[in-house]
Amino acid sequence: VKNSLGTTEYDYWKLGLHKHRTDTRIGSEYQIILLKNEVSVIYNFFRNRPADRFNSKGNYHRMMVGSWEAVRDKEFLAPLSKIAFIAPSLLFGIYYLILFLISRGNYIWLSLALLLISFAQLCGPAGLLTYHFGFYLLTPSVSSVSGMIVSFPILFLILTEFFRRSLDLRNQFPKINKIYLLVNMFYSIIILLNLTLLIRWPNKEQLDLIQYPPDNLGPGIIKFHQFVIPFVILLLSSVVLAFLSWRRGSRPSGYLCLSFLLPFLIIPIAAISYLSFDGFNWHFWSFISPVAGILFLGMFVTFGFSVAQGMNDLK
């Protein structure tokens, strides 16, 4: 920082190596002194190595300036919102696992999905331990953005299989069932390919930006925006199939329809929050993030109702 007080330099900070919190720093956020009615110049130097290929072009090279009180409040509330999401999702994941061990059914897929989501929120690139407390629970590769190219295909595979079994596609829609099976095979291949890349992390794609220029498409042979397309198509198909099954008299499908509707409530809530908080600021995100988390968990709770109703119907 350069102003009439002179030039003030701040120590370089690296995630997982240096202390995350001090009196004048929270992670990569520093408390600086800017004089009133005077122009201060802030120079921000950072090293992105291995390169974050999701944010390595244009939008990565930025910084935000705000009051230190706002920064402290944000860094105090953000971990709390993470904990408020991780705790119930982890407990529901364990609860569904116990139900599966007792009564079988499709609870195992809900359990695996919630446990995987909890792990990502705990150890992922924006996870509670990694981002807010500055250390890795497992390895840097798993906690990097490259870990997403393995965790997301696994999640998509689990949810696709849950939809396939819950809607009883093998008996109700046998031709569509084959499409779901093909997509599951596709995600199995993606997982194996990306796991091979993750084991060798960091590789040339993250280190040699001359041969592999930044493109913001992320790592992996098949990029995230490409392998998410089949899941989105099957997700929308599941909504339609659940509605059709419900109209035919399937009570479990009625709970599935309710489950699919819950996340869409975030749209009007986000619109009202945007107007209330005067745009996309940290107040907006501090409010909307836990609300979205509650609706997301509510979806999985009603998924559980669908499984329970299906088992009751079988009895």
Side-chain angles (χ1 to χ4, degrees):
V1 179
K2 185 177 181 180
N3 50 35
S4 61
L5 296 177
T7 301
T8 305
E9 296 184 8
Y10 297 87
D11 294 335
Y12 177 76
W13 177 81
K14 185 177 181 180
L15 177 67
L17 181 63
H18 301 133
K19 189 175 180 181
H20 189 70
R21 291 173 182 261
T22 66
D23 293 336
T24 58
R25 194 195 69 241
I26 303 175
S28 58
E29 300 176 356
Y30 294 82
Q31 183 182 23
I32 61 178
I33 298 176
L34 301 180
L35 301 177
K36 293 182 178 180
N37 302 319
E38 181 180 328
V39 176
S40 297
V41 181
I42 304 174
Y43 299 93
N44 183 27
F45 301 95
F46 62 92
R47 188 182 189 187
N48 182 13
R49 181 181 177 90
D52 174 0
R53 297 199 64 84
F54 279 112
N55 298 287
S56 56
K57 181 182 179 182
N59 64 336
Y60 193 90
H61 304 82
R62 66 175 186 262
M63 59 182 175
M64 294 182 288
V65 179
S67 68
W68 188 240
E69 290 75 15
V71 171
R72 286 187 300 182
D73 291 343
K74 177 176 71 70
E75 292 299 324
F76 174 76
L77 293 174
L80 291 182
S81 65
K82 288 276 191 198
I83 294 172
F85 178 83
I86 293 171
S89 60
L90 184 60
L91 290 175
F92 270 109
I94 297 173
Y95 171 69
Y96 284 140
L97 179 61
I98 294 173
L99 286 180
F100 170 75
L101 295 176
I102 295 173
S103 57
R104 300 301 173 181
N106 291 325
Y107 290 114
I108 185 61
W109 306 109
L110 294 178
S111 174
L112 291 176
L114 285 172
L115 291 176
L116 180 61
I117 292 169
S118 302
F119 176 80
Q121 290 294 312
L122 192 65
C123 307
L128 177 68
L129 297 180
T130 310
Y131 184 79
H132 295 289
F133 294 102
F135 67 92
Y136 302 111
L137 182 63
L138 296 176
T139 64
S141 61
V142 174
S143 297
S144 70
V145 293
S146 295
M148 296 168 56
I149 65 175
V150 174
S151 60
F152 272 97
I154 295 176
L155 180 62
F156 294 159
L157 174 63
I158 292 171
L159 291 178
T160 301
E161 184 63 15
F162 170 73
F163 297 149
R164 189 182 73 86
R165 291 175 178 266
S166 296
L167 293 169
D168 193 19
L169 296 184
R170 186 173 60 179
N171 296 319
Q172 300 297 326
F173 305 94
K175 292 183 179 180
I176 297 178
N177 180 61
K178 294 179 180 179
I179 298 176
Y180 277 65
L181 290 175
L182 287 175
V183 172
N184 282 348
M185 291 177 59
F186 168 75
Y187 281 126
S188 299
I189 296 172
I190 293 295
I191 292 169
L192 292 175
L193 291 175
N194 289 342
L195 186 60
T196 302
L197 291 177
L198 190 63
I199 292 174
R200 296 184 296 168
W201 184 92
N203 50 49
K204 279 189 176 183
E205 198 177 25
Q206 283 87 35
L207 300 176
D208 190 348
L209 298 185
I210 302 300
Q211 185 177 353
Y212 302 95
D215 52 17
N216 283 4
L217 297 180
I221 299 173
I222 300 179
K223 307 299 183 182
F224 176 82
H225 72 282
Q226 296 169 333
F227 67 69
V228 75
I229 294 174
F231 176 74
V232 172
I233 294 174
L234 292 192
L235 176 62
L236 296 177
S237 301
S238 298
V239 175
V240 175
L241 294 174
F243 178 77
L244 293 176
S245 298
W246 173 62
R247 292 295 301 270
R248 292 179 180 178
S250 173
R251 287 181 292 181
S253 296
Y255 284 112
L256 282 180
C257 290
L258 176 62
S259 303
F260 290 131
L261 288 176
L262 285 177
F264 289 100
L265 294 177
I266 196 63
I267 298 176
I269 295 175
I272 296 173
S273 302
Y274 179 85
L275 297 175
S276 302
F277 295 118
D278 297 324
F280 297 112
N281 48 46
W282 79 270
H283 296 284
F284 171 87
W285 293 112
S286 297
F287 173 77
I288 207 65
S289 296
V291 171
I294 292 172
L295 293 175
F296 185 76
L297 288 177
M299 179 178 68
F300 278 89
V301 172
T302 48
F303 278 161
F305 293 160
S306 174
V307 175
Q309 184 62 57
M311 297 184 68
N312 288 335
D313 290 348
L314 287 176
K315 293 178 182 179

